[in-house]
Amino acid sequence: MIVVVNNLAYEGGCEITETAPLGIAAEHAAFAEPEVSLGVPPPFGGSRRLPRRVGRKRGLEMILTGDPVPAARAAEIGLVNGVVPAGELLGAAREPAAHITRHAPTAVAACLRAVTRGIDLPIDEGLAVESARFAATVPAEGVRTGPRRFLDRQVLWSDSRFSALPPTAASPPRAGRRPGRGRVGR
């Protein structure tokens, strides 16, 4: 799910980065689609994925020149999410992984499918994909426990992220709710 690049990601390495939902690169990493210098186009989807990931003109620039792109530029154009010193690379990848794995697996999978399948569709078709993914998650356990955790104040909005907090006895009951009644729908 999260690609970690600690050196050169040329040809297939760049294409693997293009397919991953998230990516982190070391400061010294570089990315390239150099197949044009061999007289061939990218053979494993690079001509389709790279322009979708970084934009048509930036993708064409990488494909047509074959020139390497340093990690900082790869982050600027959206090929990776961030760049860190090599010694911090695995920790930087573990942070979002830990955050993501706190969520219901069915919800995470549905988000990935909705974005991956719907990104290149017209808006109406993409919304239909999203609605289908939503409907598929409704019977899942995460839909029952997620709102309950939120209502029990175990999930709070903080710094543009959800953070799980242990329930506290000091939390005052909300209006219209009797203490000790933590079930959703009662």
Side-chain angles (χ1 to χ4, degrees):
M1 174 182 254
I2 301 173
V3 134
V4 176
V5 180
N6 192 25
N7 213 327
L8 303 177
Y10 287 16
E11 299 177 355
C14 190
E15 291 180 2
I16 289 170
T17 303
E18 295 160 19
T19 65
L22 302 173
I24 308 287
E27 292 170 326
H28 64 272
F31 302 83
E33 288 283 2
E35 291 88 351
V36 72
S37 63
L38 302 173
V40 296
F44 302 112
S47 67
R48 306 300 308 143
R49 291 185 192 100
L50 185 61
R52 284 180 166 91
R53 178 67 68 168
V54 303
R56 181 178 180 269
K57 291 186 181 203
R58 291 181 191 119
L60 278 170
E61 180 181 11
M62 285 181 69
I63 291 168
L64 295 175
T65 65
D67 292 341
V69 172
R73 179 72 176 141
E76 286 175 20
I77 64 176
L79 186 55
V80 294
N81 299 86
V83 177
V84 297
E88 299 173 19
L89 195 55
L90 290 179
R94 285 185 180 115
E95 182 183 331
H99 189 77
I100 292 165
T101 57
R102 287 196 314 242
H103 302 302
T106 52
V108 172
C111 291
L112 286 168
R113 285 187 192 116
V115 170
T116 301
R117 293 182 181 166
I119 197 163
D120 295 318
L121 297 175
I123 188 73
D124 291 343
E125 292 175 37
L127 290 172
V129 169
E130 181 181 273
S131 294
R133 297 290 41 144
F134 177 83
T137 62
V138 171
E141 179 65 22
V143 174
R144 290 186 293 277
T145 61
R148 184 171 43 240
R149 287 178 54 222
F150 181 80
L151 292 173
D152 288 343
R153 297 176 182 236
Q154 293 179 27
V155 176
L156 299 177
W157 190 258
S158 171
D159 299 325
S160 300
R161 298 181 132 180
F162 282 105
S163 58
L165 299 176
T168 62
S171 296
R174 290 183 307 284
R177 183 170 169 230
R178 291 181 285 170
R181 305 284 270 194
R183 292 193 176 176
V184 175
R186 284 202 164 194

